[in-house]
Amino acid sequence: LIQAAVAMHHHRRGKPGPAVTMIERARTKLLAAPATHFGIDVARLLRDLDRCEELFVDPESAEMDYPTIRYE
């Protein structure tokens, strides 16, 4: 989760390269977790991070909505 948050921080500071790197690292760790972990909807967070990565690589593709952590 911290790596996902750091990715958003990098993006807000105008550093898309480090943001994508942090998303990749977060994804690696989150893929090892169950779909819901400690009440966090990990599956949705992964989908949100995938969308963010696409937008970080191609900012013209759509408007940016930062992901939120959802609890079940």
Side-chain angles (χ1 to χ4, degrees):
L1 293 177
I2 291 171
Q3 289 173 325
V6 170
M8 299 309 112
H9 174 75
H10 280 309
H11 179 262
R12 286 183 178 138
R13 296 194 58 141
K15 300 177 181 179
V20 169
T21 298
M22 294 310 295
I23 286 176
E24 291 168 351
R25 289 180 184 175
R27 182 185 301 112
T28 298
K29 293 184 185 305
L30 291 169
L31 285 171
T36 302
H37 190 62
F38 290 108
I40 297 171
D41 187 346
V42 175
R44 183 166 182 164
L45 179 57
L46 281 165
R47 287 191 305 270
D48 288 348
L49 289 174
D50 287 343
R51 179 157 162 65
C52 285
E53 183 176 17
E54 290 173 16
L55 292 170
F56 293 172
V57 171
D58 181 13
E60 302 298 320
S61 63
E63 187 173 314
M64 178 68 197
D65 285 327
Y66 289 100
T68 57
I69 297 171
R70 292 167 179 82
Y71 298 94
E72 293 184 358

